[in-house]
Each structure stands twice: as structure tokens, then as C-alpha cells.
């Protein structure tokens, strides 16, 4: 039992990672019906960013949690006047994803021309 107690944090992240991968596989199947590649990639990228962006949990930088959970806990416990640390991380990750998808679409259009 000591092994589980010592590695609780890693087991929690492993469980979360497996569940997030399962959600992504399901989402890939659902979005495969979207004909437009740009919208399909945007929907998939949004899911990946929301599920896999980590951020600091609490005041210390020792432990991480999914940024969406940090954002929701900040909003729930501290209200909208809090720093919304998880929200900043999500916005930055979403902006990076949009930038990557825009560059990818530009290169895709150039190769077709």
C-alpha cells in the first residue's frame, strides 16, 4: 500500500491521461464526419488543448493539474476577480494552436496551387 501512497500523484495523472486519450479517440471519430478540413482540425485542436494543457495547482509550482480544472476551480472558489491562472494558460495554448493551424492551412493552399 505504501507504493500507491507514494505515487498517488503519478497514478492520478496516468489515469487522467488515459481518459483524455480515450476522449480524443472518441472525438476524432465524431469529427471525422466534418467534411471541411479546416473546421475538423479546429474542433480537434480545441479538444486537445482543453484536455492536455497543464498548469500549476495552487500557489506552489510543485504540482500540476489540467488548466481547465484550475480555471474552473478559480472561478468556483475565488470568483471572476481572481487571476484565473488556468484561463491564461488555456488562452495562450489556444492562440498557439490557432497559429499552427493557420500556417498549416496556408501551406496546404500553396501546395494545391
Amino acid at each position: 500500500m505504501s507504493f500507491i501512497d507514494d505515487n498517488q500523484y503519478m497514478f492520478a495523472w496516468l489515469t487522467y491521461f488515459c481518459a483524455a486519450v480515450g476522449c480524443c479517440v472518441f472525438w476524432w471519430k465524431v469529427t471525422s464526419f466534418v467534411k471541411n478540413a479546416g473546421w475538423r482540425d479546429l474542433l480537434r485542436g480545441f479538444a486537445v488543448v482543453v484536455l492536455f494543457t497543464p498548469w500549476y495547482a495552487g500557489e506552489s509550482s510543485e504540482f500540476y493539474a489540467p488548466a481547465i480544472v484550475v480555471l474552473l476551480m478559480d472561478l468556483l472558489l475565488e470568483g471572476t476577480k481572481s487571476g484565473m491562472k488556468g484561463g491564461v494558460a488555456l488562452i495562450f495554448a489556444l492562440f498557439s494552436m490557432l497559429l499552427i493551424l493557420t500556417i498549416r492551412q496556408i501551406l496546404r493552399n500553396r501546395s494545391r496551387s
Side-chain angles (χ1 to χ4, degrees), residues 9 13 54-65 85:
Y9 181 69
W13 266 110
W55 197 247
Y56 302 115
E59 297 298 322
S60 71
S61 60
E62 184 179 355
F63 297 108
Y64 288 91
K85 297 166 265 215

Side-chain angles (χ1 to χ4, degrees), residues 15-93:
T15 303
Y16 179 81
F17 181 77
C18 291
V21 167
C23 287
C24 281
V25 168
F26 173 75
W27 190 243
W28 249 249
K29 297 286 186 190
V30 169
T31 57
S32 66
F33 298 110
V34 177
K35 300 294 184 208
N36 187 312
W39 283 109
R40 184 177 55 243
D41 292 345
L42 183 65
L43 290 170
R44 290 175 175 177
F46 184 76
V48 168
V49 164
V50 167
L51 289 173
F52 291 107
T53 302
W55 197 247
Y56 302 115
E59 297 298 322
S60 71
S61 60
E62 184 179 355
F63 297 108
Y64 288 91
I68 189 71
V69 173
V70 173
L71 173 65
L72 293 174
M73 291 303 289
D74 282 349
L75 290 174
L76 180 67
L77 299 176
E78 298 175 20
T80 56
K81 293 184 180 183
S82 71
M84 293 196 309
K85 297 166 265 215
V88 173
L90 282 173
I91 288 174
F92 181 74

